[in-house]
Amino acid sequence: MVGNQRQGWAILATMSVLFIAGVVICYWAEAAGNPLVHALGVDGANMEGKESRFGIAASALFAVITTAASCGAVNAMHDSFTALGGLVPMLNMQLGEVIVGGVGAGFYGIVMFIVITVFVAGLMVGRTPEYLGKKIEAKEVKMAMLAILALPLVMLVFTAIAVVLPSAVASMANGGPHGFSEVLYAYTSAAANNGSAFGGLSGNTPWYNITLGISMWVGRFFVIIPALAIAGSLATKKTVPASAGTFPTDGPLFVGLLVGVILIVVGLTFFPALAIGPIVEHLAAINGQTF
């Protein structure tokens, strides 16, 4: 659309790095199996919640694909994945589904991170950040941050309330960190426009129906509106010719920086929640602890 295919290849490369990493980690976690089951003298991969015709590889691949895009379809029960195996699809959605994304709405998610990345790059080289010949200024950065922060706002706040609200806690099929993960996954899926779920959570209650609906509303419009604002702002700006000081956004350096910004921004935002959910569940399983 802008007459520069190299820009598209750079974005596709970024998506591919995140996607391949997710598939490898999810497959490894499921193929490694459940430490609690191994402690009973039963070796093998984690086949709970999976169809034998698909097995580990196709189930892990499908789980990553369906959460990298706004699909929501499943061929295995995500709630039955190992702790780290279930973390991957959850994290895919928490990234803002920047890996491919949904039909008609998948591209602008990663564009928000591109705006932040070129802003960071501009700070490092001491120049006004530019992207596709357009200067990225305070308005664009503010709108991008509003879009990026809208998702964790509802994902984390509603999860925090739900895990202490007695009527919401009653919907959790599991205690401990996995029960927390069920709730976090529900709000993550709703806000990220996905639809998959950790099936152990009974979400058909007034609390979850209302709050998940609010999450869907915020997750859509609080991202779409800032994205449109950025598009409108950039459309009115004149194209600035590239110079010797322009940071190139079509090479491996930019791909690496973009991947780093995505992981750091999302990691700093969600790591505390993931630490008391799937991460501590994994560590507890290694030590033979159940809940």
Side-chain angles (χ1 to χ4, degrees):
M1 292 178 67
V2 299
N4 188 338
Q5 273 195 338
R6 286 179 59 87
Q7 301 285 348
W9 283 115
I11 294 174
L12 180 60
T14 302
M15 294 177 172
S16 299
V17 169
L18 295 171
F19 175 76
I20 293 171
V23 172
V24 170
I25 294 172
C26 189
Y27 171 78
W28 168 80
E30 295 307 299
N34 190 330
L36 295 171
V37 176
H38 294 170
L40 300 175
V42 181
D43 295 327
N46 177 38
M47 279 298 293
E48 180 189 339
K50 300 176 179 66
E51 293 192 37
S52 57
R53 59 177 174 155
F54 298 137
I56 299 296
S59 298
L61 177 63
F62 200 101
V64 176
I65 290 174
T66 195
T67 50
S70 297
C71 176
V74 297
N75 72 345
M77 300 306 296
H78 293 181
D79 199 20
S80 295
F81 276 32
T82 61
L84 296 184
L87 182 149
V88 173
M90 192 187 308
L91 184 60
N92 277 349
M93 295 182 287
Q94 290 169 347
L95 292 175
E97 292 181 322
V98 297
I99 311 168
V100 183
V103 176
F107 188 67
Y108 61 70
I110 199 167
V111 170
M112 300 299 103
F113 282 101
I114 290 173
V115 170
I116 302 302
T117 301
V118 295
F119 172 70
V120 171
L123 292 177
M124 290 192 292
V125 299
R127 288 181 55 89
T128 302
E130 302 171 11
Y131 186 62
L132 301 178
K134 304 282 187 171
K135 288 189 177 296
I136 303 298
E137 298 176 306
K139 179 180 179 180
E140 289 78 29
V141 176
K142 290 176 181 177
M143 289 296 103
M145 287 309 303
L146 177 60
I148 291 171
L149 294 175
L151 296 180
L153 174 68
V154 289
M155 291 175 184
L156 298 178
V157 171
F158 280 139
T159 297
I161 298 173
V163 295
V164 297
L165 190 68
S167 60
V169 172
S171 295
M172 295 160 53
N174 295 275
H178 193 76
F180 176 85
S181 297
E182 289 177 344
V183 177
L184 179 60
Y185 194 103
Y187 288 110
T188 297
S189 179
N193 189 24
N194 189 266
S196 62
F198 273 14
L201 183 73
S202 300
N204 189 22
T205 66
W207 163 260
Y208 282 110
N209 286 334
I210 293 171
T211 55
L212 289 173
I214 295 173
S215 299
M216 286 189 280
W217 175 67
V218 171
R220 284 154 180 73
F221 292 102
F222 279 54
V223 177
I224 292 174
I225 293 174
L228 291 173
I230 292 174
S233 176
L234 294 180
T236 61
K237 294 183 179 182
K238 294 182 179 180
T239 301
V240 179
S243 66
T246 301
F247 180 71
T249 56
D250 56 3
L253 180 60
F254 179 74
V255 171
L257 184 60
L258 180 55
V259 170
V261 167
I262 292 172
L263 294 179
I264 290 172
V265 170
V266 176
L268 291 175
T269 304
F270 287 102
F271 182 77
L274 295 173
I276 60 177
I279 294 176
V280 76
E281 180 187 356
H282 173 71
L283 297 175
I286 292 176
N287 288 281
Q289 184 177 2
T290 59
F291 297 88

